[in-house]
Amino acid sequence: MDVDMIRKVLLAFVMASCVLGCSEHMSPQEYSHAWRQAVLDYRAIEKSPETAAALAASGDPGGSRAAAIGGAAQHISDQIREIAARVKEFNPPPNMQPLQDETYSFYRGQADLFQGYASALGEGDSGKVDAAGDRVNLFVDEHQKKVKDEITNLRNQSDQFQSAWLAVLKPIPRK
């Protein structure tokens, strides 16, 4: 093929794309891939501040346990908030927007609640710590179900999301 023929084919392709409607939305495949990657990144986070603090403390055995757990909870919040920020930038196909909205709410709300849990740990009030941990777990339970329902609502496209979502585990913050 000569250069002029390649240009003509490319021009025809570009014109056909614009005539058919240039879309700013991700394709269903692009969206499901990006969405599943966010879920994998979320699953990779150690969501128990106590366990994360123990792992971090192995290098600093003289540190305060409460401070280590609070720092770990803040780090968990930061990691989940970063995923929420990425998810917020996705531009899903219109039929997947409810899943997008609920998934973003799941990550963002959880990040906010982990930050509250870290603050409660910093205050040292065991009642506040327990209440903050309960709020995280109640929120996660409720929003995992909402995301699952949105996946189910996608009907024939739900398979691309279902297996990744079923593997999401609930965080269990501890004192």
Side-chain angles (χ1 to χ4, degrees):
M1 241 186 190
D2 69 339
V3 174
D4 285 333
M5 182 59 124
I6 292 173
R7 285 184 186 152
K8 288 178 184 176
V9 169
L10 285 174
L11 180 60
F13 177 74
V14 169
M15 289 177 63
S17 295
C18 287
V19 167
L20 294 174
C22 295
S23 175
E24 59 190 56
H25 296 287
M26 300 167 93
S27 72
Q29 293 77 19
E30 290 169 327
Y31 179 67
S32 73
H33 175 76
W35 187 92
R36 287 190 316 261
Q37 184 60 54
V39 170
L40 289 173
D41 293 346
Y42 171 79
R43 286 176 46 202
I45 297 170
E46 173 54 63
K47 288 176 258 341
S48 166
E50 190 169 76
T51 302
L55 293 171
S58 62
D60 181 19
S64 159
R65 182 175 184 274
I69 295 172
Q74 183 60 53
H75 183 65
I76 292 165
S77 172
D78 294 344
Q79 290 176 301
I80 296 173
R81 191 174 311 283
E82 186 275 325
I83 293 170
R86 276 193 356 237
V87 167
K88 186 177 183 180
E89 297 302 315
F90 296 166
N91 193 5
N95 69 316
M96 294 178 179
Q97 188 64 50
L99 174 61
Q100 166 73 5
D101 295 342
E102 199 55 57
T103 304
Y104 172 73
S105 293
F106 173 76
Y107 292 131
R108 179 57 197 261
Q110 197 174 158
D112 292 346
L113 289 167
F114 264 108
Q115 188 170 11
Y117 183 71
S119 295
L121 283 164
E123 291 178 29
D125 180 335
S126 63
K128 287 183 179 181
V129 170
D130 290 343
D134 289 345
R135 280 192 296 275
V136 171
N137 286 318
L138 289 171
F139 178 87
V140 170
D141 284 344
E142 178 183 331
H143 284 271
Q144 280 180 335
K145 182 181 178 338
K146 287 181 178 183
V147 171
K148 185 177 184 277
D149 290 347
E150 290 303 334
I151 291 169
T152 301
N153 289 340
L154 292 174
R155 294 182 188 18
N156 64 341
Q157 293 178 313
S158 68
D159 289 348
Q160 9 182 5
F161 302 97
Q162 194 70 38
S163 61
W165 191 250
L166 290 176
V168 170
L169 300 176
K170 179 174 90 169
I172 305 172
R174 297 188 180 111
K175 293 187 253 183

